[in-house]
């Protein structure tokens, strides 16, 4: 049994539309009605436009008179604009040990604060070795302390979880953290 080729997702235009009749929409969006495909193609040629199938699933399929090149260009521009407006979420990682020196903790906390101020998520990992694995509450308390220390910049997105030898917690910045930090920087530069 012949399965045929792959189904094309490309829009069918002009002679590629192979149905006996279509529901025709004019160039300005006005409804023309159900017409035979030959008449629709003739109307498109007279108006120096293309006949573009916009709803192939409908019965009968909906076709519109339009300039196909302009349509493709505008849809590409819209797609590019929507990609530009997407926010990229970056996850930074900070690794700690349960028995961490106070100065080292302050340094790591500073890194986490900087990441959150920049609007990035932070994955905090506590690595347990040897006998430390039997005391997961030390790691849990350390993660809670870190979350409390940076609570004005971010919140706990996922609670501390034990994952083998590691305990992981994810911190996410507050929605307005980026705008707030930018405003305080601008205000600081105005004063000097």
């Amino acid at each position: 049994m012949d399965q045929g080729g792959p189904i094309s997702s490309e829009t069918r235009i002009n002679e590629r539309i192979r149905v006996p009749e279509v529901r025709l929409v004019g160039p300005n969006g006005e409804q023309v009605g159900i017409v035979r495909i030959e008449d629709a193609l003739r109307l498109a040629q007279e108006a120096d436009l293309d006949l573009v199938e916009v709803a192939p699933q409908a019965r009968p399929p909906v076709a519109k008179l339009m300039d196909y090149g302009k349509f493709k260009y505008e849809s590409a521009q819209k797609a590019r604009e929507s990609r530009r407006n997407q926010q990229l979420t970056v996850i930074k990682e900070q690794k700690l040990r349960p028995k961490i020196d106070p100065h080292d903790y302050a340094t790591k906390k500073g890194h986490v604060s900087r990441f959150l101020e920049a609007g990035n998520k932070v994955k905090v990992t506590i690595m347990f070795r040897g006998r430390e694995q039997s005391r997961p509450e030390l790691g849990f308390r350390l993660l809670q302390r870190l979350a409390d220390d940076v609570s004005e910049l971010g919140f706990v997105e996922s609670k501390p979880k034990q994952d083998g030898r590691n305990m992981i917690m994810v911190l996410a910045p507050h929605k307005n953290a980026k705008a707030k930090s930018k405003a305080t920087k601008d205000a600081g530069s105005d004063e000097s």
Side-chain angles (χ1 to χ4, degrees):
M1 187 171 131
D2 186 23
Q3 291 290 319
I7 296 173
S8 174
S9 61
E10 195 173 316
T11 309
R12 295 190 298 186
I13 60 168
N14 298 333
E15 286 78 27
R16 289 194 177 163
I17 302 172
R18 301 199 184 284
V19 290
E21 54 187 21
V22 292
R23 182 179 303 275
L24 189 62
V25 178
N28 300 322
E30 71 276 1
Q31 294 286 334
V32 176
I34 298 174
V35 295
R36 289 189 11 250
I37 191 70
E38 298 83 18
D39 297 337
L41 286 168
R42 186 178 40 74
L43 284 169
Q45 283 178 336
E46 287 171 5
D48 198 27
L49 294 170
D50 297 308
L51 184 67
V52 181
E53 191 175 45
V54 289
Q57 306 88 331
R59 290 284 164 250
V62 180
K64 185 174 181 181
L65 294 173
M66 65 170 78
D67 183 350
Y68 186 63
K70 184 178 174 185
F71 169 73
K72 275 187 76 169
Y73 172 75
E74 287 173 352
S75 61
Q77 291 291 79
K78 282 180 189 169
R80 188 178 298 128
E81 189 66 32
S82 69
R83 280 196 304 273
R84 187 179 300 144
N85 291 336
Q86 283 180 345
Q87 278 193 342
L88 232 63
T89 54
V90 179
I91 297 182
K92 301 284 190 175
E93 186 169 11
Q94 194 64 61
K95 293 189 175 186
L96 307 170
R97 295 287 311 280
K99 296 177 187 168
I100 189 167
D101 185 67
H103 181 265
D104 292 341
Y105 173 78
T107 304
K108 301 277 187 176
K109 185 181 84 171
H111 293 318
V112 170
S113 300
R114 190 178 74 232
F115 295 149
L116 290 171
E117 281 175 358
N120 298 322
K121 290 184 179 182
V122 184
K123 177 180 171 185
V124 184
T125 306
I126 294 191
M127 301 172 295
F128 295 99
R129 288 200 190 127
R131 291 183 188 163
E132 293 172 348
Q133 291 179 39
S134 64
R135 302 283 308 274
E137 68 276 0
L138 292 175
F140 184 78
R141 278 201 299 256
L142 186 62
L143 288 175
Q144 287 300 113
R145 180 174 146 205
L146 181 65
D148 292 340
D149 289 348
V150 296
S151 62
E152 71 277 353
L153 298 171
F155 62 95
V156 178
E157 188 177 71
S158 72
K159 300 248 184 265
K161 287 191 290 274
Q162 186 81 31
D163 181 27
R165 293 173 167 238
N166 300 328
M167 186 175 278
I168 297 166
M169 174 178 75
V170 178
L171 296 169
H174 292 302
K175 292 281 183 225
N176 54 4
K178 214 172 192 178
K180 200 183 285 183
S181 67
K182 198 173 186 180
T184 54
K185 283 180 185 171
D186 292 345
S189 62
D190 291 344
E191 291 170 4
S192 53

